[in-house]
Amino acid sequence: MNMAIDYSSLLTGEQKKQILEQRIAQYAAEGYQHEINKQIAQSLGNEEGVASSDAALALLEASIKVHQQELAALPKE
């Protein structure tokens, strides 16, 4: 029988906070790049590129929201 590891329990609250903050910043940087990519695709009339950027931006937005919720839920130390 396989037992799942509780990864969360292996990290301190401060470690979780740092990870979440780093990921939010990384997602924001990726989002910024996708916004630029979208502008480029729009300027070239590349509808597929625009759609690809829109899909990536939607995923990043959802990711940021989940990470922000996790960060807000951490106990204040």
Side-chain angles (χ1 to χ4, degrees):
M1 183 191 308
N2 253 349
M3 293 183 32
I5 295 174
D6 179 6
Y7 296 101
S8 180
S9 70
L10 301 174
L11 300 167
T12 66
E14 185 59 31
Q15 288 172 320
K16 291 175 190 176
K17 180 178 183 268
Q18 289 176 358
I19 290 167
L20 291 165
E21 288 174 341
Q22 288 170 358
R23 289 302 296 151
I24 290 167
Q26 289 170 343
Y27 289 140
E30 290 176 40
Y32 176 68
Q33 184 61 59
H34 280 291
E35 287 176 340
I36 292 171
N37 293 348
K38 181 177 177 178
Q39 290 175 19
I40 293 167
Q42 287 171 328
S43 73
L44 296 173
N46 181 342
E47 291 182 22
E48 186 178 315
V50 172
S52 176
S53 291
D54 283 341
L57 288 165
L59 177 61
L60 289 167
E61 182 177 336
S63 298
I64 288 172
K65 286 180 181 179
V66 169
H67 280 69
Q68 288 174 328
Q69 290 168 353
E70 286 291 317
L71 186 58
L74 287 176
K76 305 297 179 229
E77 293 183 10

